[in-house]
Amino acid sequence: DAGITQSPRHKVTETGTPVTLRCHQTENHRYMYWYRQDPGHGLRLIHYSYGVKDTDKGEVSDGYSVSRSKTEDFLLTLESATSSQTSVYFCAIKALAGINEQFFGPGTRLTVL
Amino acid sequence: ELKVEQNPLFLSMQEGKNYTIYCNYSTTSDRLYWYRQDPGKSLESLFVLLSNGAVKQEGRLMASLDTKARLSTLHITAAVHDLSATYFCAVDVAGTASKLTFGTGTRLQVTL
């Protein structure tokens, strides 16, 4: 347990509505990541952050935005949810400088109807 | 673009048997990570391999890295039911701002 929580853990929403997922960490880690997991695709990086207000895109960033106004919180926003964004979303942190071993939160299962 | 391929994608094996999961990647890298995921759960870090020839062992699992062949293996010795899970490898390429690229996973089912 790397002190990572995600909220909500489950959410059902409708197409076209905005959705924000929260990742919270308690250990002051600099790097934070958002992934989505879908059958047959493993984990794919959506966005990541390397410090407060410092973020960058990952492999599948279209339709997502992020914000990090405090070290401990990394928010993922779906501006207008679509059914293709139904997935399990994982937040992760990198704990050690020089080693990219990442530790994952419990995940959020999002269903877009 | 870095590609990470695992095989097999699904493995059903009997308790007591040995088997190997393979992870191939397409770009030079000397850092590779293995994770385990139980159904409905998060990912758990298993092994961190940081150089060519690195070998790590934990219980019935042993991971190795051959950077020249761009290949990592996860060997399972005398499988037990508790090892049933999905295993992912992930590759870290220098200069990519600490990003990992994951394989699609190998679902291991150990039958009694």
Side-chain angles (χ1 to χ4, degrees), chain A residues 11-110:
Chain A
K11 186 170 182 67
V12 180
T13 191
E14 293 188 349
T15 297
T17 60
V19 176
T20 295
L21 308 182
R22 180 182 183 234
C23 177
H24 179 79
Q25 55 131 336
T26 59
E27 298 180 3
N28 210 34
H29 298 296
R30 180 182 169 199
Y31 281 85
M32 299 183 75
Y33 306 82
W34 276 108
Y35 293 89
R36 61 177 289 173
Q37 183 176 30
D38 305 288
H41 289 279
L43 271 78
R44 292 180 292 175
L45 182 65
I46 305 171
H47 281 279
Y48 67 101
S49 170
Y50 46 96
V52 173
K53 298 195 190 317
D54 292 323
T55 65
D56 206 347
K57 296 179 180 179
E59 177 189 357
V60 290
S61 59
D62 286 349
Y64 301 95
S65 63
V66 290
S67 66
R68 191 163 178 206
S69 58
K70 299 185 289 184
T71 298
E72 58 266 35
D73 288 325
F74 191 30
L75 305 180
L76 177 70
T77 297
L78 291 66
E79 302 289 349
S80 178
T82 67
S83 59
S84 65
Q85 293 175 312
T86 293
S87 188
V88 179
Y89 291 86
F90 286 100
C91 174
I93 60 94
K94 184 178 89 157
L96 298 174
I99 298 175
N100 202 9
E101 183 183 20
Q102 295 179 14
F103 297 91
F104 288 80
T108 294
R109 182 172 295 275
L110 176 68

Side-chain angles (χ1 to χ4, degrees), chain B residues 57-108:
Chain B
Q57 182 161 6
E58 178 75 30
R60 300 174 188 274
L61 299 177
M62 183 174 73
S64 65
L65 178 61
D66 181 344
T67 59
K68 291 183 173 56
R70 299 180 185 172
L71 171 69
S72 180
T73 60
L74 181 65
H75 186 72
I76 303 147
T77 301
V80 293
H81 182 67
D82 285 352
L83 290 179
S84 297
T86 300
Y87 293 85
F88 293 93
C89 63
V91 176
D92 170 12
V93 178
T96 59
S98 299
K99 293 189 287 186
L100 290 179
T101 300
F102 282 81
T104 52
T106 295
R107 187 168 145 235
L108 173 65

Side-chain angles (χ1 to χ4, degrees), chain B residues 15-26:
Chain B
E15 277 202 333
K17 300 292 188 183
N18 303 333
Y19 211 84
T20 300
I21 298 171
Y22 298 88
C23 175
N24 292 272
Y25 53 96
S26 62

